[in-house]
Amino acid sequence: LVFFAFIGFDIIATAAEEAKEPKRTVPLGITIGLGIVIFLYVMVTLVTSGMISYDKLAQMKSPSLATAFELVGADWAAQIISFGILVGLTTVVMVLLLGLTRVVFAMSRDKLLPEGISHTNKRGVPATLQIVSSIVVALIASTMDISVLADMVNIGTLSAFVLVCVGVPIMRKKRPDLERAFKAPGSPWLPLIVAAVCFVVMLYLSVLTWIRFLVWLAAGITIYFAYSYKHSRLNEKA
């Protein structure tokens, strides 16, 4: 579940169309962002591990970084950290909602979903889609068990990474004529290795999570073959 902390960096890629120089700025944004966060995570882990034993944290009902500071008597620091967690989670949710609407927008524009979904306002912003998506996500988040949602988000994101990684070498072999905006160093072996690693992480999730995922996947496949495949722009060109 530690993987959950790294969800969100892929949103940079989904917003690539809105970048002025995506070929340069998108890879830099993902690489530098990941580098900074990994460094901070490692430093915080080292400090926390030296500050208090993990055995004591494990005895708490909902252990967190703030809990570690409370256990050593630094309540003032715990309050600051709790406020930072709240601000951080809020920004993460906002960015994920941005990525969600951009993915749905692109699918609608390619007619994989009804075209009306990709409607934009005078400023070219899919405002209606953004609002509706936010309401749906808020309803789901407020009515479902957070641990179940966390598992579903993990397995959904990991499966998407597996498909993307496997799709890169396949597309480069089947469609070498397409213009490539980004390089893929180490292809095909590196993407396949990453796909395998992501799949291994998926195997550590519970059986119930896998069942829910397969049901959700079946629903998506049904929508694809019942509507998307027939109406897609690629099918029209063919």
Side-chain angles (χ1 to χ4, degrees):
L1 290 180
V2 174
F3 169 79
F4 193 82
F6 292 93
I7 291 176
F9 290 96
D10 52 310
I11 303 303
I12 299 174
T14 63
E17 283 187 300
E18 299 175 51
K20 290 183 178 179
E21 298 180 68
K23 291 183 180 181
R24 185 179 68 87
T25 56
V26 170
L28 277 176
I30 294 175
T31 306
I32 294 174
L34 268 174
I36 293 172
V37 168
I38 290 172
F39 173 77
L40 291 174
Y41 282 171
V42 171
M43 292 298 102
V44 169
T45 303
L46 289 174
V47 170
T48 310
S49 299
M51 186 170 63
I52 190 167
S53 172
Y54 70 90
D55 289 332
K56 292 183 179 179
L57 279 175
Q59 294 172 5
M60 307 301 291
K61 278 189 176 181
S62 301
S64 67
L65 182 60
T67 309
F69 282 85
E70 288 175 353
L71 290 174
V72 296
D75 292 340
W76 61 272
Q79 292 177 1
I80 294 174
I81 290 169
S82 297
F83 177 75
I85 291 172
L86 179 62
V87 173
L89 286 174
T90 303
T91 57
V92 168
V93 170
M94 291 174 66
V95 171
L96 288 173
L97 284 172
L98 170 70
L100 170 64
T101 56
R102 294 312 182 266
V103 170
V104 175
F105 177 86
M107 291 176 69
S108 172
R109 185 183 56 191
D110 292 339
K111 295 187 177 182
L112 295 172
L113 292 172
E115 281 190 282
I117 296 177
S118 57
H119 173 74
T120 59
N121 59 19
K122 294 179 180 179
R123 297 184 178 181
V125 178
T128 303
L129 175 59
Q130 187 76 66
I131 294 169
V132 173
S133 300
S134 301
I135 292 172
V136 172
V137 169
L139 289 172
I140 294 173
S142 60
T143 55
M144 288 189 66
D145 189 316
I146 191 66
S147 61
V148 173
L149 283 177
D151 286 345
M152 288 304 296
V153 170
N154 271 340
I155 198 168
T157 306
L158 284 165
S159 63
F161 287 175
V162 170
L163 290 174
V164 170
C165 289
V166 172
V168 167
I170 290 176
M171 287 300 295
R172 288 177 184 250
K173 185 173 181 61
K174 291 183 68 175
R175 294 297 304 275
D177 55 304
L178 294 176
E179 181 185 354
R180 260 66 188 186
F182 305 100
K183 293 181 179 179
S187 182
W189 299 113
L190 183 58
L192 294 178
I193 291 171
V194 175
V197 171
C198 289
F199 184 74
V200 169
V201 176
M202 289 172 65
L203 294 177
Y204 282 90
L205 294 168
S206 66
V207 175
L208 276 175
T209 301
W210 271 93
I211 293 172
R212 295 188 190 102
F213 169 69
L214 292 174
V215 171
W216 189 251
L217 185 63
I221 291 173
T222 301
I223 293 171
Y224 177 77
F225 283 105
Y227 179 88
S228 306
Y229 183 80
K230 296 177 183 178
H231 294 83
S232 71
R233 292 189 184 276
L234 284 176
N235 199 26
E236 286 180 355
K237 291 179 180 178

